[in-house]
Amino acid sequence: MTGAKDEQLLAMIPPALRGDCRAVQTYAYVPGPPLRCPVLSLVGTDDPQATTDEVGAWAGRTDGPFTLRVCDGGHFHLDTHTDEIADVIRSTTGGMS
């Protein structure tokens, strides 16, 4: 048996998911100037949705520094490498939080 708060939270999921799906279905890349900021790209070695080369291509989308970090794992490698990823983010951002 769920409480009212659980039901309210569950009711929020379908609209958000529909919005995400709509964004994916309607997105069209429009070329523009390169970013002027650092870019940190994270990818798993066995990610079936994004290869290391595809993620590394972000280097061409910034005039700022580019860092590519590759971890063992698939698309959700972040779930199993949280400490390593947190360290990378801290070191890349200078420890800002």
Side-chain angles (χ1 to χ4, degrees):
M1 194 158 149
T2 62
K5 288 184 181 183
D6 291 337
E7 290 175 13
Q8 290 173 344
L9 180 62
L10 288 173
M12 293 169 53
I13 293 172
L17 189 56
R18 280 192 294 276
D20 289 349
C21 290
R22 190 170 32 259
V24 167
Q25 291 170 344
T26 60
Y27 174 78
Y29 172 71
V30 177
L35 300 171
R36 295 177 297 176
C37 62
V39 172
L40 167 63
S41 292
L42 308 169
V43 65
T45 54
D46 301 316
D47 188 336
Q49 297 182 12
T51 67
T52 302
D53 288 342
E54 290 170 334
V55 174
W58 276 95
R61 297 299 309 142
T62 184
D63 286 336
F66 176 80
T67 305
L68 175 65
R69 294 301 294 252
V70 181
C71 294
D72 290 333
H75 192 67
F76 295 102
H77 71 281
L78 300 175
D79 293 343
T80 56
H81 294 11
T82 52
D83 291 338
E84 179 182 349
I85 299 303
D87 288 343
V88 168
I89 292 170
R90 272 192 292 276
S91 68
T92 302
T93 61
M96 296 169 36
S97 50

